[in-house]
Amino acid sequence: DKGYIKEDTTWSGTVVIRGQTVVKRGCTLTILPGTVVKFEWVDEDGDGIGDGELSVEGRLVARGSKDNVILFTSASPAPKMKDWTFVQISVNKDAVVEYCVFEYGFSGLQVHYSTGTIRNSLFRNNYEGIRFSTTDVLIENNDIVDNYYGVRCEAHGSRTTITKNRFRGNDYTFFPVQKNWDSV
């Protein structure tokens, strides 16, 4: 299943995603405090990773509050790591992720070719808490706990700042991917 958001949209309450939802370029998805985004289990390719994902090619503004967080989670009654793929911010300007919880995903949050702020959020029980490449993002004051990889980074010229975060219980806290190219 694939759905497209083609105009500025605001989410509140409970939103259930089955398959892939894409926010097209030029559109902003605003997610209000207290919103719960649940990803249904679908595994069309049989790789053991849920295929539910939110891909934002436009702009994402997910600004919860300390007392009213935004939750991205599995729709399963017995959730487990890799129940859904990711929330992916791609080619965004000034993305905002504040006071959000990402749990039971393959990657809680992926950020590529974007600018923005990720702060005061919780990444728990994901395979990768946060994954980024080619970004200019501030990752600040988050709790990154009980993931396989806390932060996975493919630098490619990134100017990302990671500061004042708390890491606990991850198998690997920080995984900088480096590719080696042999001459042929």
Side-chain angles (χ1 to χ4, degrees), residues 63-95:
R63 186 179 282 127
S65 68
K66 187 174 185 177
D67 299 323
N68 210 6
V69 299
I70 296 167
L71 175 62
F72 297 90
T73 191
S74 169
S76 173
K80 62 186 184 323
M81 188 182 288
K82 301 183 189 178
D83 269 359
W84 52 281
T85 309
F86 52 55
V87 173
Q88 179 176 270
I89 298 171
S90 183
V91 197
N92 266 240
K93 294 243 188 281
D94 303 320

Side-chain angles (χ1 to χ4, degrees), residues 113-174:
Y113 304 101
S114 299
T115 64
T117 304
I118 303 164
R119 71 164 50 108
N120 300 320
S121 293
L122 171 60
F123 299 85
R124 67 176 171 211
N125 299 314
N126 302 288
Y127 185 73
E128 303 168 336
I130 302 171
R131 179 179 185 170
F132 68 87
S133 66
T134 320
T135 61
D136 186 358
V137 175
L138 173 62
I139 301 173
E140 176 181 54
N141 202 38
N142 299 286
D143 288 291
I144 303 169
V145 298
D146 298 328
N147 305 284
Y148 186 76
Y149 294 115
V151 174
R152 180 176 170 169
C153 154
E154 298 176 27
H156 300 297
S158 289
R159 292 180 305 278
T160 294
T161 301
I162 302 172
T163 185
K164 301 177 188 170
N165 296 282
R166 290 160 301 281
F167 294 89
R168 187 180 72 250
N170 302 289
D171 289 18
Y172 298 92
T173 300
F174 187 73

